Amino acid sequence: MTKQPLVVFEDVTKRYGTFTAVSPINLEIYKGEFLAIMGSSGCGKTTTLRMLAGLETPSDGEIRLAGKRINDLPTWQRDTPMVWQSLALFPFLTVRENIEFSLRMRGVERAERSARVDKWLDRMQITEFAERNVAHLSGGQRQRVALARSLVTEPEILLMDEPLSALDAHLKVRMQTVLSNLQRELGITFVYVTHSQSEAFSMADRVVIMSAGRVQQIGRPQEVYDRPASLFVATFIGAPPMNLFDVADVPVPAGTFPSSVATVGVRPEDIMLRTDVEGKGIRLDCSVSLVETLGADSVLHLRTVSQDGRPGLPVIARMGGNAREWEGRTMPIWLPPSRLHFFDQSGLRAEIPLSR
Ligand code: ATP
């Protein structure tokens, strides 16, 4: 991946009447990278993608593709094909005709069209369905046709809006591998909108986390997971979500944390549950109300047991193996200092140097 921006969003805004769907967004998308745009429903991710595709015009700011302002360039003059959740294949055409369509529109002559379609039929392993009507294909097969149709023109960038959300869990995972391999082999830029963390994290080089029309954080998936920039990102990334405690509820000697800290967070998987770690963190005594066993690991729903009769705090922990035996019992847990996250009054990450 070369560090050369193929796409630049500079202070790009999108308003619908008085409603701001996308607040000024600044974003560089590099040549050859797999960028995922994530966020909850209505956060503006599809609008951002549609502006890049030319299906919406920015209200303010500038979008550049390969150094050229494209704000007002019609969608058919941009080389930014898009794959939708609905796929939008032509229902009365065969697989071959669907894939061939954009080549025809570009006036590519017959022999070359045929060779390129054959190549993509083969590459997507759908040659045997070439003459079949797309209505008579499975979801996964249709997905491959949609990809072939977009990639047959060999674009520099491919935009995808929730392309896998209609598929079942197994097919989704298989298609993630297909997409990752394709992107690496072709070296083209993928911009991928999803609400699914597992899709974004398994495929993307970088993720953009959006909320309420604003970019909350941009980074490599691991960076965003390890160092969420805000409470929003901390709870949006990770399942079950990060446990958050009001600093006053954390049983530590006064002055342990600086006064700027308002909230302390710890991920369920970072909580230590084994007695052999005693003394290695902040101890909380908890009752175990429910254990969900997931096969490789278990999710424990706990509540702190307070000495003074105050209602306990809910805590979720995740541990390897089957922890069913703990249901209904009381157990100590430890919050390791090196795995704590701190947030200030306004919900932004605070870096606290703690002695570890
Ligand atoms: P989802 O995951 O539900 O698709 P999203 O993050 O992709 O959500 P957008 O489709 O970008 O969200 O929409 C952002 C906001 O803009 C939403 O509140 C939506 O209702 C609003 N919006 C989108 N298109 C229009 C439009 N044409 N007119 C008015 N409001 C719109």
Side-chain angles (χ1 to χ4, degrees):
M1 187 174 83
T2 50
K3 280 276 175 186
Q4 185 186 349
L6 176 65
V7 175
V8 177
F9 278 76
E10 195 177 295
D11 291 329
V12 173
T13 309
K14 180 65 188 176
R15 287 184 296 272
Y16 295 107
T18 54
F19 177 72
T20 303
V22 177
S23 296
I25 159 170
N26 287 288
L27 174 65
E28 292 190 335
I29 304 174
Y30 302 116
K31 231 179 164 121
E33 82 169 324
F34 196 135
L35 184 90
I37 305 179
M38 298 177 68
S40 36
S41 188
C43 71
K45 48 195 190 302
T46 295
T47 304
T48 303
L49 198 70
R50 287 172 61 86
M51 287 194 283
L52 181 52
L55 300 167
E56 299 283 357
T57 312
S59 307
D60 279 314
E62 182 165 284
I63 304 179
R64 292 191 290 276
L65 178 64
K68 248 182 51 201
R69 178 187 161 99
I70 56 166
N71 288 42
D72 308 305
L73 198 65
T75 187
W76 50 272
Q77 282 183 8
R78 309 179 181 202
D79 201 9
T80 52
M82 190 147 158
V83 177
W84 313 84
Q85 178 186 343
S86 64
L87 304 184
L89 295 173
F90 302 115
F92 305 113
L93 300 185
T94 64
V95 168
R96 175 180 292 282
E97 288 162 346
N98 263 279
I99 301 173
E100 202 179 22
F101 183 80
S102 45
L103 295 177
R104 267 181 196 276
M105 296 303 287
R106 285 160 190 244
V108 177
E109 56 92 25
R110 179 194 276 265
E112 165 146 19
R113 264 189 349 243
S114 180
R116 278 163 77 172
V117 172
D118 283 344
K119 179 181 132 187
W120 279 97
L121 284 167
D122 182 50
R123 176 150 215 162
M124 299 312 294
Q125 299 175 2
I126 45 177
T127 304
E128 63 183 294
F129 313 115
E131 310 311 328
R132 201 185 279 183
N133 187 297
V134 287
H136 304 144
L137 295 176
S138 73
Q141 289 157 355
R142 270 205 292 273
Q143 195 76 46
R144 289 165 190 268
V145 178
L147 281 168
R149 186 181 62 170
S150 295
L151 290 168
V152 73
T153 59
E154 294 173 5
E156 253 195 301
I157 187 164
L158 179 66
L159 313 182
M160 285 173 278
D161 190 0
E162 303 266 14
L164 307 186
S165 57
L167 304 181
D168 71 45
H170 285 293
L171 201 47
K172 215 174 254 190
V173 173
R174 285 227 310 272
M175 284 309 295
Q176 283 174 20
T177 311
V178 169
L179 284 175
S180 293
N181 285 334
L182 256 183
Q183 196 265 343
R184 279 174 181 74
E185 283 166 27
L186 300 173
I188 66 175
T189 308
F190 277 20
V191 185
Y192 189 99
V193 160
T194 181
H195 64 271
S196 155
Q197 185 192 331
S198 61
E199 280 177 35
F201 273 45
S202 65
M203 296 187 284
D205 297 307
R206 286 192 308 150
V207 291
V208 178
I209 316 285
M210 291 183 71
S211 165
R214 291 181 187 280
V215 170
Q216 296 277 326
Q217 190 166 4
I218 304 176
R220 284 183 289 114
Q222 195 66 46
E223 267 167 25
V224 172
Y225 175 84
D226 287 339
R227 295 168 45 80
S230 64
L231 280 177
F232 174 83
V233 179
T235 47
F236 185 73
I237 299 297
M242 186 184 285
N243 294 286
L244 298 172
F245 306 101
D246 188 305
V247 71
D249 291 329
V250 183
V252 290
T256 304
F257 306 133
S259 57
S260 58
V261 173
T263 307
V264 177
V266 63
R267 292 202 181 277
E269 54 275 33
D270 289 334
I271 290 177
M272 310 282 266
L273 297 145
R274 308 230 182 257
T275 47
D276 57 12
V277 298
E278 186 150 11
K280 297 218 174 122
I282 301 165
R283 176 178 172 146
L284 299 174
D285 290 307
C286 294
S287 59
V288 185
S289 51
L290 176 72
V291 176
E292 295 168 315
T293 49
L294 307 174
D297 49 11
S298 304
V299 172
L300 292 83
H301 296 256
L302 311 147
R303 197 164 271 278
T304 57
V305 180
S306 65
Q307 307 302 326
D308 56 9
R310 282 192 304 165
L313 304 168
V315 183
I316 294 182
R318 188 167 187 148
M319 64 177 279
N322 186 339
R324 244 311 136 67
E325 57 175 312
W326 284 101
E327 201 168 277
R329 293 164 64 181
T330 300
M331 71 193 301
I333 64 169
W334 283 268
L335 315 184
S338 64
R339 307 302 298 170
L340 297 181
H341 300 258
F342 301 101
F343 302 93
D344 65 18
Q345 206 63 257
S346 54
L348 295 178
R349 185 179 188 83
E351 292 300 344
I352 307 297
L354 288 179
S355 49
R356 308 239 148 119

